[in-house]
Amino acid sequence: DIQMTQSPSSLSASVGDRVSITCQASQDIGNYLNWYQHKPGKAPKLLIYDASTLETGVPSRFSGGGSGTDFTFTISSLQPEDIATYYCQESDGLPTFGGGTKLEIK
Amino acid sequence: QVQLVQSGAEVKKPGASVKVSCKASGYIFTNYGVTWVRQAPGQGLEWMGWIGANSGNTNYAQTLQGRVTMTTDTSTNTAYMELESLRSDDTALYYCARVRRDSSGWFRAFDIWGQGTMVTVSS
């Protein structure tokens, strides 16, 4: 099974900051990597698929990159409504989620 | 609009079974798959398995093999997830989600989610 290592597990930043999260796969997964946003009391939301493609309707301050085993998710200018837990998920084989990154406002 | 609506909260005793439903609307049900993901209290997301809505073909997480069964009813556009031999660590919020295929036909992204169903296992 593919293991997904996501870091950091928690992150505190100020409004307007650039925030980045990394996700490392235990083997080459090409660009089959998705990112989700999960707010308390709500269903998860797909933000980015195929490592770097923004889902329709998702603000352009969100972006993703990488391929192979190393991937990055970035929020270019943190907004208060971005407070959530973010998960990577590999979709090369049977899916595996990363452990999540809880993002808080400083 | 495109949506998935799940059945209500359940409370079960250890050893019992639970069956959660997920009714789809607003899209062609058989063009997609349905996956199930759960989140135990204070934990992250755990993929449980998926099913092709048209084919009925399934893949399950190894940790749940033998206890989980996923089915679909294309006459009512509803997916079901049944979990047997419930234990206290099955207490979780269970989500269904629509799965998009890529051009090769393999399932890739979970793009529409249900509202979640809380299953509590307690004696």
Side-chain angles (χ1 to χ4, degrees):
Chain A
D1 288 1
I2 299 173
Q3 307 301 317
M4 303 301 296
T5 303
Q6 189 175 336
S7 62
S9 57
S10 64
L11 179 55
S12 182
S14 300
V15 173
D17 282 355
R18 183 180 182 88
V19 169
S20 290
I21 299 168
T22 63
C23 194
Q24 186 171 59
S26 59
Q27 64 189 64
D28 189 337
I29 58 170
N31 69 335
Y32 293 123
L33 193 283
N34 307 320
W35 291 95
Y36 298 85
Q37 177 190 65
H38 192 196
K39 296 182 178 181
K42 298 209 165 181
K45 178 183 178 182
L46 176 65
L47 298 180
I48 290 170
Y49 62 95
D50 293 348
S52 62
T53 304
L54 208 61
E55 178 72 351
T56 301
V58 173
S60 59
R61 64 179 181 275
F62 296 100
S63 65
S67 65
T69 60
D70 295 299
F71 301 86
T72 303
F73 170 82
T74 300
I75 306 173
S76 61
S77 177
L78 185 65
Q79 300 301 304
E81 62 267 30
D82 299 337
I83 297 314
T85 300
Y86 292 85
Y87 294 91
C88 63
Q89 174 239 323
E90 67 88 5
S91 60
D92 185 40
L94 298 183
T96 305
F97 287 95
T101 297
K102 186 173 183 179
L103 180 54
E104 298 173 326
I105 294 284
K106 197 181 289 184
Chain B
Q1 76 276 27
V2 176
Q3 63 178 354
L4 299 172
V5 178
Q6 298 182 223
S7 50
E10 303 265 10
V11 179
K12 296 291 183 180
K13 294 194 181 304
S17 299
V18 69
K19 191 169 187 176
V20 180
S21 68
C22 171
K23 183 170 177 59
S25 61
Y27 71 95
I28 300 173
F29 183 64
T30 51
N31 283 357
Y32 296 83
V34 176
T35 193
W36 292 86
V37 173
R38 69 180 181 179
Q39 183 178 36
Q43 302 300 308
L45 301 176
E46 178 189 9
W47 178 75
M48 300 179 66
W50 57 26
I51 181 168
N54 191 34
S55 66
N57 292 337
T58 55
N59 289 103
Y60 301 132
Q62 205 161 4
T63 54
L64 294 172
Q65 285 277 0
R67 289 206 301 137
V68 67
T69 304
M70 296 176 187
T71 56
T72 59
D73 181 345
T74 56
S75 69
T76 60
N77 291 347
T78 303
Y80 298 91
M81 185 283 299
E82 184 171 22
L83 189 59
E84 304 171 354
S85 303
L86 289 169
R87 310 185 294 241
S88 58
D89 61 359
D90 291 317
T91 294
L93 188 55
Y94 288 75
Y95 292 102
C96 64
R98 188 179 79 169
V99 197
R100 287 200 302 238
R101 300 176 186 273
D102 66 5
S103 56
S104 71
W106 185 254
F107 291 141
R108 296 297 180 196
F110 309 158
D111 63 348
I112 304 294
W113 292 67
Q115 82 276 20
T117 297
M118 187 67 207
V119 175
T120 302
V121 182
S122 173
S123 55

